Amino acid sequence: MSKVLIFKSISWVTIISCSAQVIPVEKHQYYIDNQIDFSSTTYFKDVNGVLDKFVGTWKGTVNSKNYELRFFKNTLSYKGFKKDEILGRYKITSSNGTVIENTLSLQKDNPLILASGYVDPKNTKGYVFYYLGREDNCGQNGELFTYIYENDNNKMQMVLVVSGENLDCTGAFAQQVFPVNFMDLTKQ
């Protein structure tokens, strides 16, 4: 009887040690920035609920453009690696209602969806998305920084920091559709 109990105990220890290593999602970029190795069985999980405050529909207006952004949680899985993240779809219209850009109906793996982001390692009220526009080869790309206000979880600031690589661009740099100066968004 004791041999069976010992065997079961060893089996459980083996199963637990082979399962995924769970690390809070807010540590992901810290691991990247500091080149800390993590295995393919690592799961950067939203154990502290830091992503929840970003989820929802956010709206704002700047430079005669209306912005509607819809953020939702997703779990990225790639070759055993997992990471909870925020994805974003958006609709941008002019003041007269003309649609400038609309990704609201695109699938989550479409490159125009705001994705591959991370929690700001210095401020868990910040989330950074990687952005590629339709004219990304002519500079419509970069990082979209979003920050929830410290004293109001229903207000957010957003700004695009343009990467501006000019890859195979035959014309001038593309006009940016996201603001390159801070703008305010309100949670709906």
Side-chain angles (χ1 to χ4, degrees):
M1 185 72 149
S2 64
K3 288 182 182 180
V4 171
L5 186 58
I6 291 171
F7 177 74
K8 284 184 177 180
S9 297
I10 291 172
S11 297
W12 276 110
V13 168
T14 303
I15 290 169
I16 290 170
S17 66
C18 291
S19 64
Q21 176 186 7
V22 175
I23 300 171
V25 71
E26 58 269 29
K27 300 285 186 190
H28 179 253
Q29 193 61 32
Y30 176 82
Y31 274 65
I32 301 297
D33 290 345
N34 292 287
Q35 299 177 349
I36 298 171
D37 191 28
F38 52 90
S39 73
S40 63
T41 60
T42 300
Y43 183 5
F44 288 98
K45 186 173 179 61
D46 190 18
V47 294
N48 298 316
V50 297
L51 300 180
D52 294 337
K53 62 185 152 282
F54 298 97
V55 173
T57 300
W58 297 80
K59 291 184 178 181
T61 301
V62 68
N63 299 330
S64 301
K65 293 180 186 172
N66 301 308
Y67 293 84
E68 177 183 339
L69 292 99
R70 295 181 188 172
F71 297 138
F72 59 98
K73 283 174 91 169
N74 181 59
T75 300
L76 171 69
S77 295
Y78 181 73
K79 295 184 179 181
F81 165 82
K82 289 172 72 172
K83 179 182 90 162
D84 290 341
E85 64 182 353
I86 298 292
L87 298 181
R89 294 184 177 103
Y90 51 91
K91 182 178 181 180
I92 304 168
T93 58
S94 66
S95 58
N96 66 6
T98 303
V99 175
I100 297 168
E101 186 61 80
N102 186 352
T103 67
L104 295 179
S105 63
L106 298 179
Q107 297 295 317
K108 69 180 183 179
D109 60 348
N110 187 295
L112 296 177
I113 298 296
L114 300 174
S116 301
Y118 58 91
V119 176
D120 184 331
K122 297 176 186 148
N123 177 1
T124 60
K125 288 196 171 256
Y127 197 85
V128 182
F129 295 94
Y130 292 105
Y131 160 70
L132 292 175
R134 291 194 190 275
E135 298 181 57
D136 66 304
N137 61 326
C138 288
Q140 211 176 51
N141 54 51
E143 291 180 308
L144 195 63
F145 289 81
T146 60
Y147 291 96
I148 304 288
Y149 274 74
E150 191 64 39
N151 57 354
D152 188 348
N153 283 342
N154 293 315
K155 292 204 179 279
M156 171 190 293
Q157 279 197 324
M158 178 180 75
V159 66
L160 173 66
V161 176
V162 178
S163 295
E165 285 92 19
N166 190 350
L167 307 172
D168 301 323
C169 184
T170 58
F173 278 111
Q175 186 176 27
Q176 299 300 333
V177 295
F178 279 105
V180 293
N181 294 315
F182 279 101
M183 73 168 290
D184 287 330
L185 297 165
T186 303
K187 195 170 196 177
Q188 304 301 297

